[in-house]
Amino acid sequence: MKKLIALSVISMSIFTFNANAKLGSQNNVKYAGDLSYKKFCEAVVKDDVNMLKRSVRDKVGLLASSSQGVLKKLISSNGMECNGVDLMSFSEQRKSSQVYKYLSNEK
């Protein structure tokens, strides 16, 4: 029984480390879902406002007729999600201060 408990504790610590590595590192990020929108999540992970702006411009005409319209749709309550949360919350979780500030000003 002690061996089983020790094995469980070791397994949990390994899985916890892997989860933290995925959340803490820019290199260990996986994308799922519609990959044509991955640049938005990547911009948050890298805290890169210019990448976010380029991604918004790329969607003009597809989502809305202007960059502001695209951004408003993305950050709306039923907008896109990264890691299961909306773009604003994701940027806050990732401590992407520049992107969060930019999105807050646009909201």
Side-chain angles (χ1 to χ4, degrees), residues 81-94:
E81 295 181 345
C82 298
N83 207 24
V85 296
D86 64 271
L87 208 53
M88 292 283 296
S89 298
F90 186 63
S91 63
E92 192 172 27
Q93 284 177 355
R94 295 291 301 200

Side-chain angles (χ1 to χ4, degrees), residues 15 64 71 97 106:
F15 289 127
L71 199 52
S97 58
E106 293 300 319

Side-chain angles (χ1 to χ4, degrees), residues 14-64:
I14 290 171
F15 289 127
T16 303
F17 175 76
N18 287 337
N20 289 338
K22 286 183 181 179
L23 291 175
S25 172
Q26 292 182 6
N27 298 329
N28 295 327
V29 176
K30 285 188 174 182
Y31 300 99
D34 190 346
L35 295 179
S36 64
Y37 290 87
K38 80 175 191 172
K39 291 289 184 183
F40 293 102
C41 298
E42 189 175 344
V44 172
V45 169
K46 293 181 177 182
D47 197 17
D48 188 341
V49 174
N50 289 325
M51 178 187 277
L52 181 68
K53 289 178 180 180
R54 282 190 306 273
S55 300
V56 167
R57 282 193 305 265
D58 289 344
K59 297 302 178 191
V60 171
L62 295 172
L63 296 177

